[in-house]
Amino acid sequence: MAFVIDGKKISTEIKDETKEKVAQLKAQGKEISLAVVQVGDNPASCVYVRNKKKACEYVGIKSVSHELPEETTEAELLDLIDKLNNDDSINGILVQLPLPAHMDENKVIDAISPYKDVDGFHLMNVGALSTGQQGFISCTPYGIIQLLKRSNIDIAGKHCVVIGRSNIVGKPMSMLLLRENGTVTIVHSKTQNMKEITKQADILVVAIGKPKFVDDTYVKEGAVVIDVGINRDENNKICGDVDYDKVFDKVSAITPVPGGVGPMTIAMLMNNCLEAATKIQK
Ligand code: GUN
């Protein structure tokens, strides 16, 4: 029987803490603004962007929408980013990914001022995380650290295995777990003996993007399992990268899908917007 880590509850706690600090700033006459840029109308992006704007409204952050057509050129997008970088009334800039195929995603991300890069994707912020310096931390892995800490799960000295090596989750997750003094192993699609490694994990973070990929044969008795996946199963029901029912009786704690990692990403985005207006120094 596992302890179910309630991401919805913990994300609400974080948003409420942020909301209080945002209100204090407002009382001093400082309003926080997030520019939300979406190019095209990818259906998943529309849902994410809508939820991000809703969270802004909840915590009292002003969201300023820029909805650009699919045919927007890279130069036009870079021009908008330049304007937002130089606009003192904008604290954070979020460009929703993926971008249309005719744009160079890395070029666009690195055009965002690192001091307004609330996603933590800019090279300078990635470098800061890798070298233990202050910067914005990518929201999903940052949210996972909060889930563990607020559930009183120790990371220091634990063997943490991360399945997946994406720039958004796997790589920054590994860096954060290392920063928390975990012993970190990354496995991925080309790893030859994946199960042998994942079965050693005290904390297993799964971000591989394959529905119900991890079953009980991948996990050690008593492990903590964090499921980053959002997929549809054979019945079109939302499911994670972990076969929840199969691992539930073997593990000590697990995040559900939905209601685990998902809500944390947006809560940490709100936290990063607050940091953009207060902590991050140019
Ligand atoms: N697309 C999928 N996840 C994210 C995210 O966290 N930030 C942005 N900007 N785009 C995404």
Side-chain angles (χ1 to χ4, degrees):
M1 263 286 278
F3 169 70
V4 179
I5 300 173
D6 189 344
K8 195 143 177 28
K9 178 165 159 271
I10 297 173
S11 68
T12 303
E13 280 167 21
I14 292 172
K15 281 191 289 185
D16 285 344
E17 290 162 16
T18 307
K19 183 177 180 169
E20 208 176 301
K21 290 179 191 147
V22 169
Q24 284 166 6
L25 283 179
K26 214 171 246 179
Q28 297 163 20
K30 178 143 183 66
E31 182 163 58
I32 304 178
S33 295
L34 170 68
V36 180
V37 182
Q38 187 182 353
V39 187
D41 52 7
N42 174 306
S45 292
C46 291
V47 175
Y48 288 131
V49 164
R50 194 163 60 236
N51 288 337
K52 287 171 186 179
K53 287 194 225 165
K54 248 167 62 184
C56 281
E57 207 170 305
Y58 181 81
V59 303
I61 290 173
K62 184 179 169 195
S63 66
V64 183
S65 270
H66 294 270
E67 286 162 16
L68 308 179
E70 180 86 17
E71 321 74 72
T72 304
T73 65
E74 187 181 274
E76 285 168 330
L77 178 59
L78 292 173
D79 192 45
L80 171 63
I81 290 172
D82 187 50
K83 285 197 179 81
L84 295 170
N85 284 341
N86 291 301
D87 182 343
D88 288 340
S89 74
I90 296 291
N91 303 97
I93 303 171
L94 181 147
V95 178
Q96 187 63 30
L97 305 178
L99 288 169
H102 63 273
M103 293 192 188
D104 178 344
E105 226 159 65
N106 286 329
K107 190 171 169 191
V108 171
I109 289 169
D110 291 331
I112 298 171
S113 160
Y115 305 102
K116 296 189 179 186
D117 168 41
V118 284
D119 265 323
F121 293 165
H122 188 283
L123 275 178
M124 197 180 101
N125 286 315
V126 175
L129 175 61
S130 303
T131 54
Q133 297 178 68
Q134 180 169 265
F136 289 111
I137 300 169
S138 176
C139 301
T140 300
Y142 197 9
I144 291 169
I145 295 292
Q146 290 299 318
L147 281 181
L148 293 170
K149 286 193 169 174
R150 289 173 188 242
S151 304
N152 297 314
I153 295 166
D154 289 332
I155 302 168
K158 298 287 175 62
H159 189 186
C160 307
V161 176
V162 178
I163 310 184
R165 52 175 161 176
S166 70
N167 289 340
I168 294 185
V169 184
K171 286 179 202 159
M173 185 77 256
S174 308
M175 278 298 159
L176 276 173
L177 290 164
L178 193 58
R179 200 175 79 165
E180 296 294 334
N181 299 313
T183 301
V184 182
T185 306
I186 307 174
V187 300
H188 49 79
S189 55
K190 300 287 190 294
T191 299
Q192 287 185 351
N193 49 348
M194 190 186 285
K195 271 190 200 183
E196 280 167 41
I197 299 167
T198 60
K199 278 175 91 167
Q200 294 171 31
D202 301 309
I203 298 173
L204 181 64
V205 179
V206 190
I208 197 166
K210 293 184 180 164
K212 299 187 186 178
F213 179 83
V214 166
D215 63 17
D216 52 320
T217 64
Y218 281 77
V219 299
K220 178 170 84 172
E221 189 91 35
V224 172
V225 175
I226 305 292
D227 188 352
V228 187
I230 303 178
N231 315 287
R232 296 264 173 193
D233 70 8
E234 59 283 3
N235 303 314
N236 208 33
K237 211 175 134 224
I238 288 185
C239 71
D241 291 352
V242 176
D243 193 328
Y244 187 87
D245 294 334
K246 284 202 181 140
V247 306
F248 191 79
D249 286 328
K250 196 169 181 185
V251 303
S252 63
I254 186 164
T255 58
V257 177
V261 173
M264 295 301 292
T265 300
I266 293 184
M268 299 323 291
L269 175 68
M270 297 300 104
N271 170 82
N272 283 355
C273 290
L274 175 65
E275 287 200 353
T278 52
K279 273 205 204 146
I280 304 288
Q281 299 301 319
K282 283 181 209 182

Coordinates of all heavy atoms in Angstrom, one line a residue, residues 48 52 94-98 119 121 140 168 265, ligand 1:
Y48 N -2.7 24.1 -22.1 CA -1.7 24.6 -21.1 C -1.7 26.1 -20.9 O -1.7 26.6 -19.8 CB -0.3 24.2 -21.6 CG 0.0 22.7 -21.6 CD1 0.6 22.0 -22.7 CD2 -0.2 21.9 -20.4 CE1 0.8 20.6 -22.6 CE2 0.1 20.6 -20.4 CZ 0.6 19.9 -21.5 OH 0.9 18.6 -21.4
K52 N -2.4 28.2 -17.5 CA -1.4 29.1 -17.0 C -2.0 30.5 -16.7 O -1.8 31.1 -15.7 CB -0.2 29.2 -18.0 CG 0.7 28.0 -18.0 CD 1.7 28.0 -19.1 CE 2.4 26.6 -19.0 NZ 3.5 26.4 -20.1
L94 N 7.0 33.9 -21.3 CA 6.8 32.5 -21.5 C 6.4 32.3 -23.0 O 5.4 32.9 -23.4 CB 5.7 32.0 -20.6 CG 5.4 30.5 -20.7 CD1 4.9 30.1 -19.3 CD2 4.3 30.2 -21.7
V95 N 7.3 31.6 -23.7 CA 6.9 31.2 -25.1 C 6.5 29.8 -25.0 O 7.4 28.9 -24.8 CB 8.1 31.5 -26.0 CG1 7.7 31.0 -27.4 CG2 8.5 32.9 -26.0
Q96 N 5.3 29.5 -25.3 CA 4.8 28.1 -25.2 C 5.4 27.2 -26.3 O 5.5 27.6 -27.5 CB 3.2 28.1 -25.3 CG 2.6 26.7 -25.1 CD 2.8 26.2 -23.7 OE1 3.0 26.9 -22.7 NE2 2.9 24.9 -23.6
L97 N 5.9 26.1 -25.9 CA 6.5 25.1 -26.9 C 5.5 24.0 -27.1 O 4.7 23.7 -26.2 CB 7.8 24.6 -26.3 CG 8.9 25.6 -25.9 CD1 10.1 24.9 -25.3 CD2 9.3 26.5 -27.1
P98 N 5.5 23.3 -28.2 CA 6.5 23.4 -29.3 C 6.1 24.6 -30.2 O 5.0 25.0 -30.3 CB 6.3 22.1 -30.1 CG 4.9 21.7 -29.8 CD 4.5 22.2 -28.4
D119 N 10.6 30.1 -17.4 CA 10.6 28.6 -17.7 C 11.9 28.0 -17.3 O 12.0 26.8 -17.2 CB 10.3 28.4 -19.2 CG 8.9 28.1 -19.6 OD1 8.2 27.4 -18.8 OD2 8.5 28.6 -20.6
F121 N 14.6 27.9 -19.2 CA 15.1 27.1 -20.4 C 16.3 27.8 -21.0 O 17.0 27.2 -21.8 CB 14.0 27.0 -21.5 CG 12.8 26.2 -21.1 CD1 11.6 26.3 -21.9 CD2 12.8 25.3 -20.1 CE1 10.5 25.5 -21.6 CE2 11.7 24.5 -19.8 CZ 10.6 24.6 -20.5
T140 N 8.8 21.9 -14.1 CA 8.4 20.6 -13.7 C 9.3 19.9 -12.8 O 8.9 19.4 -11.7 CB 8.1 19.7 -15.0 OG1 7.1 20.4 -15.8 CG2 7.7 18.3 -14.7
I168 N 13.7 19.6 -20.9 CA 12.7 20.2 -20.0 C 12.6 19.4 -18.7 O 12.3 20.0 -17.7 CB 11.3 20.2 -20.7 CG1 11.4 21.2 -21.9 CG2 10.2 20.6 -19.8 CD1 10.0 21.4 -22.7
T265 N 3.7 22.0 -12.1 CA 4.4 22.7 -13.1 C 3.9 24.2 -13.1 O 4.7 25.1 -13.1 CB 4.2 22.1 -14.5 OG1 4.7 20.8 -14.4 CG2 5.0 22.9 -15.6
Ligands
GUN1 N1 5.5 22.9 -23.5 C1 5.4 21.8 -22.7 N2 5.8 22.1 -21.5 C2 6.2 23.4 -21.5 C3 6.7 24.3 -20.5 O1 6.9 23.9 -19.3 N3 6.9 25.6 -20.9 C4 6.7 26.0 -22.2 N4 7.0 27.2 -22.4 N5 6.3 25.2 -23.1 C5 6.0 23.9 -22.8

